[in-house]
Amino acid sequence: MPDPTDLTQPDEALRQTRAIEEAGDIRQLLTRIADRLTENLPDAPMRDVNRLSYARQYAEAEHGYGTDMTRAVERALLRQMPRIDERTITRGEYALLLRARAGRTTRAERVSALQREAAQEYTAAHPREERVRAARVYARIDGNASA
């Protein structure tokens, strides 16, 4: 029989989503990267290696070197930062792309919003243990008093 405390793949994905949400706003980091690109050599060409470097640099600045949270935030940033591939684009133009992405909600934010809604609906539909226990105590008291 499997251990019920083992994390399944969906459980691990939800944990990482919550961790990223607690880590801070990915959109804020995208905006900060865009600011840096426009302030520092906006006419220079943007390369994919720069994209990778900025994602790691800003994740480490927020959460320290080599932590699990740093890696999770870096992956989330890279998912939001468009690949450059073979096209020629300046740092300023890439900053515009990042700002456009920063204006949209991320997948992690949508998942966490759905989790909050589900938790609220569940607690509204199912009374908490303390309330159930109190109701049982009051029922016993009323039952004993009427007998």
Side-chain angles (χ1 to χ4, degrees):
M1 185 161 106
D3 184 7
T5 59
D6 287 343
L7 290 178
T8 62
Q9 188 173 2
D11 292 334
E12 179 62 18
L14 289 174
R15 187 195 65 74
Q16 288 180 359
T17 300
R18 286 189 197 111
I20 291 170
E21 181 190 38
E22 292 168 7
D25 192 1
I26 299 298
R27 294 185 292 173
Q28 180 186 21
L29 290 176
L30 288 173
T31 303
R32 287 176 37 204
I33 293 170
D35 290 344
R36 182 163 178 196
L37 290 172
T38 55
E39 291 169 2
N40 187 9
L41 303 170
D43 295 331
M46 180 70 179
R47 295 184 182 88
D48 204 52
V49 70
N50 300 115
R51 178 181 79 93
L52 298 171
S53 174
Y54 281 125
R56 171 157 298 170
Q57 188 178 44
Y58 278 79
E60 285 178 352
E62 287 288 316
H63 303 289
Y65 176 76
T67 64
D68 290 337
M69 187 66 71
T70 299
R71 286 186 286 278
V73 170
E74 180 184 5
R75 285 191 303 270
L77 277 172
L78 288 174
R79 279 193 300 271
Q80 294 299 316
M81 296 172 77
R83 289 182 183 258
I84 296 177
D85 299 325
E86 298 299 319
R87 63 184 164 167
T88 320
I89 188 170
T90 65
R91 293 163 56 94
E93 292 168 338
Y94 193 76
L96 291 173
L97 294 175
L98 292 183
R99 285 196 172 91
R101 291 279 174 111
R104 301 181 203 150
T105 57
T106 63
R107 179 176 174 264
E109 291 169 333
R110 290 190 301 268
V111 168
S112 65
L114 288 172
Q115 289 172 343
R116 280 193 297 275
E117 289 175 21
Q120 289 171 353
E121 288 179 17
Y122 179 82
T123 54
H126 302 289
R128 298 204 180 263
E129 271 187 36
E130 299 90 27
R131 292 183 197 159
V132 171
R133 196 174 306 131
R136 287 181 186 159
V137 168
Y138 292 137
R140 287 182 186 151
I141 292 171
D142 290 341
N144 290 342
S146 63

